[in-house]
């Protein structure tokens, strides 16, 4: 069973929020060189999660619009040939 896109989006959103919270917590240790390295990696990972989340949201909107246009598109029925 595939995971719904909405659930994946929610997980990516949670990852972005967790990354932001971790960055805030780590930034208070700016004097520690190890903390600075971890902060840089955390920010990079958070930006990747944010990009993935935003890309997925765009794809979900496009898919929704495509499905709506398919549902509203009239069906082409060829005209009946007259019997002679």
């Amino acid at each position: 069973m595939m995971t719904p896109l909405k659930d994946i989006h929610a997980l990516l959103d949670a990852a972005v929020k967790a990354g932001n919270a971790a960055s805030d917590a780590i930034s208070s240790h700016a004097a520690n060189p190890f903390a600075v390295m971890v902060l840089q990696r955390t920010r990079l990972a958070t930006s990747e999660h944010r990009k993935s989340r935003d890309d997925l949201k765009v794809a979900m909107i496009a898919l929704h619009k495509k499905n709506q246009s398919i549902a509203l598109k009239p069906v082409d029925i060829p005209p009946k040939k007259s019997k002679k």
Side-chain angles (χ1 to χ4, degrees):
M1 184 171 128
M2 290 192 326
T3 304
L5 294 179
K6 289 169 92 176
D7 292 349
I8 296 170
H9 184 267
L11 291 170
L12 286 170
D13 192 46
V16 169
K17 288 177 183 176
N20 288 336
S23 292
D24 291 344
I26 296 167
S27 65
S28 64
H29 299 281
N32 182 339
F34 179 74
V36 172
M37 182 185 70
V38 171
L39 179 61
Q40 290 172 344
R41 289 185 179 192
T42 302
R43 287 182 176 161
L44 178 62
T46 302
S47 70
E48 290 295 320
H49 285 120
R50 186 177 296 110
K51 182 180 180 322
S52 296
R53 178 200 63 190
D54 295 345
D55 290 348
L56 178 60
K57 186 67 173 180
V58 168
M60 288 168 58
I61 291 169
L63 183 61
H64 180 71
K65 286 183 179 181
K66 180 182 175 186
N67 288 341
Q68 281 184 330
S69 69
I70 290 172
L72 299 176
K73 189 176 185 179
V75 178
D76 293 330
I77 301 173
K80 293 182 179 179
K81 293 183 180 181
S82 61
K83 295 181 184 178
K84 290 186 178 181

